[in-house]
Amino acid sequence: MFESSKKRYLTRGVNDTIPFEIQLFLWEAVDNMPAPKDYLQVFNLSVENGLQVIHHTSEQPEFDMTYILTTVSNSVESKIYIIDDGEQCTML
């Protein structure tokens, strides 16, 4: 799952609402997590005390990690999914 050789896509909604630096961080979070990886990665983005907080989870195997980004200038609140369908990966 999530091999670097697969093509990566994102929806127009993600492109329009999620800053590019956060998009890159989410791809890197998936790349750097331990194998095996679930086909579905879930990211809850929130703003706490002016900082961007990203809560990353998956179900099989269970994974739970929270990141705090201090250098993001445009913090957002959203829920993002990254799916590996076997042929490509999509952020939506």
Side-chain angles (χ1 to χ4, degrees):
M1 291 276 133
F2 295 100
E3 295 84 8
S4 60
S5 60
K6 290 183 182 175
K7 292 187 177 186
R8 293 181 170 183
Y9 299 95
L10 50 95
T11 63
R12 180 176 293 176
V14 168
N15 192 50
D16 291 346
T17 60
I18 306 301
F20 183 69
E21 60 191 332
I22 295 177
Q23 293 174 28
L24 287 177
F25 181 85
L26 299 179
W27 287 119
E28 288 179 19
V30 172
D31 289 341
N32 293 326
M33 65 184 292
K37 302 174 186 178
D38 193 3
Y39 77 97
L40 175 64
Q41 302 297 315
V42 180
F43 296 89
N44 285 301
L45 283 62
S46 61
V47 180
E48 296 179 19
N49 298 321
L51 301 174
Q52 180 70 64
V53 177
I54 300 174
H55 188 102
H56 177 191
T57 59
S58 65
E59 290 185 2
Q60 292 295 327
E62 190 173 327
F63 182 82
D64 191 319
M65 179 73 71
T66 300
Y67 307 97
I68 299 173
L69 306 182
T70 59
T71 59
V72 173
S73 55
N74 296 328
S75 299
V76 293
E77 297 205 15
S78 188
K79 189 170 198 175
I80 304 293
Y81 302 94
I82 301 181
I83 299 174
D84 183 331
D85 69 6
E87 295 180 19
Q88 63 193 23
C89 301
T90 307
M91 182 182 296
L92 54 139

